Amino acid sequence: MILIGEKINGAIPSVAKAIAAKDADFIRNLAKVQSEAGVDFLDVCASVDNDIELETLKWLIDLVQEVSDIPIAIDSPNANVIAQAIKFCNKPGLINSVSMEGDKVEVIFPIIADTKWECVALLCDDTGIPQDTVKRLEVFATLMDKAKQYNIAPSRLHIDPLVQMLCTSEDGILAIMDVIKEIKTQYPKIHVTGGASNISFNLPIRRLVNQAFIVLAMSAGMDSAIVDPTKQDLMGMIFATEALLGQDEYCMEYIGAYREGKFGQK
């Protein structure tokens, strides 16, 4: 499982407060604890007004890179801001994100075409988030045509099928699981990602729903997730599910993660 640490995000009240106060130590600590938890990318999202987003991203990215060499995931709804923020990063990381909405793909794909940058791609377009499997897969097909046009290998893409709140869903995540399975059938080397906590908004004891979601999504083929890596119960569930799916020979990763204190200590 490719883990994308979610904690440096200005949409989180404590992070927004730190950004406003320019509390550098707070941001550095978030980078440190997530790096120590074993993430593959550190998501950096400013969530500030448009006129200060780029300078805020630079401040955040600089702080993260002072204390960690984990690749950055540049997170913004503005493709042009992402395009400019790439130059702040010391090494290729992850773009979060593009979609078939507007010109996002046309802005980002040419820039990362001949690089090692990876990219999250959301299955939505100018009509919004598709409400059925067929439409999501149509958006996916269009997206992959664009990726082929710019010679971006499927292995560099993290497809986000856009899991919505369970409390508003008529069929749980059954349709999403079908989408994930079909995507992995068509492109075995492509990654499927998503926010592990999106599913549980407005529900009690959210961590239980999040953990159940991870198990089911991983069984369908999800191999990348935006998570809080300090949540030991969730991390333990991820390692256990990998072992149960035959992705961890002799449970060596599970045992190693336990010994390193990634789960089972709290």
Side-chain angles (χ1 to χ4, degrees), residues 39-258:
V39 297
D40 299 284
F41 297 97
L42 284 166
D43 194 81
V44 175
C45 181
S47 291
V48 294
D49 292 340
N50 292 338
D51 59 336
I52 60 169
E53 184 179 15
L54 185 61
E55 65 184 77
T56 304
L57 276 174
K58 183 181 187 307
W59 180 73
L60 291 168
I61 290 170
D62 287 347
L63 291 173
V64 170
Q65 292 180 148
E66 286 179 13
V67 297
S68 175
D69 61 358
I70 301 296
I72 302 291
I74 306 173
D75 189 343
S76 172
N78 188 323
N80 291 300
V81 167
I82 291 176
Q84 295 178 74
I86 286 175
K87 65 178 180 288
F88 305 144
C89 299
N90 294 336
K91 64 174 72 173
L94 181 68
I95 301 300
N96 188 12
S97 59
V98 301
S99 69
M100 292 310 301
E101 180 184 11
D103 63 353
K104 292 181 179 181
V105 163
E106 301 295 349
V107 171
I108 296 298
F109 276 7
I111 294 172
I112 68 170
D114 298 318
T115 73
K116 294 183 179 180
W117 278 86
E118 300 180 28
C119 186
V120 173
L122 313 180
L123 294 189
C124 60
D125 59 16
D126 289 325
T127 65
I129 299 175
Q131 297 303 308
D132 61 72
T133 300
V134 172
K135 178 60 177 174
R136 274 185 167 90
L137 291 173
E138 288 175 357
V139 175
F140 174 65
T142 304
L143 185 67
M144 294 311 293
D145 286 343
K146 287 292 185 181
K148 185 176 182 180
Q149 177 183 334
Y150 290 102
N151 198 30
I152 296 174
S155 61
R156 292 172 56 198
L157 295 174
H158 299 242
I159 304 299
D160 185 343
L162 293 174
V163 176
Q164 295 176 278
M165 294 186 298
L166 181 61
C167 63
T168 62
S169 172
E170 295 181 359
D171 63 353
I173 66 164
L174 294 179
I176 290 295
M177 290 177 68
D178 288 341
V179 171
I180 294 172
K181 290 174 183 176
E182 182 59 29
I183 287 171
K184 295 294 281 190
T185 297
Q186 292 183 26
Y187 296 91
K189 293 184 178 180
I190 208 166
H191 302 295
V192 177
T193 195
S197 61
N198 295 353
I199 190 76
S200 64
F201 283 127
N202 294 329
L203 291 174
I205 321 298
R206 292 182 59 192
R207 61 184 175 82
L208 296 180
V209 180
N210 297 340
Q211 291 169 26
F213 165 73
I214 278 289
V215 173
L216 291 173
M218 289 176 66
S219 70
M222 178 178 278
D223 62 349
S224 168
I226 302 167
V227 300
D228 179 349
T230 67
K231 301 293 186 184
Q232 291 206 350
D233 286 349
L234 180 63
M235 294 295 284
M237 196 66 72
I238 289 171
F239 282 105
T241 303
E242 285 182 327
L244 289 165
L245 291 174
Q247 300 169 1
D248 179 6
E249 190 172 12
Y250 302 116
C251 300
M252 295 304 292
E253 294 293 329
Y254 178 88
I255 294 168
Y258 171 73

Side-chain angles (χ1 to χ4, degrees), residues 2-20:
I2 298 168
L3 300 175
I4 305 163
E6 69 179 12
K7 293 178 74 65
I8 304 175
N9 189 320
I12 299 170
S14 60
V15 180
K17 182 178 179 180
I19 290 172

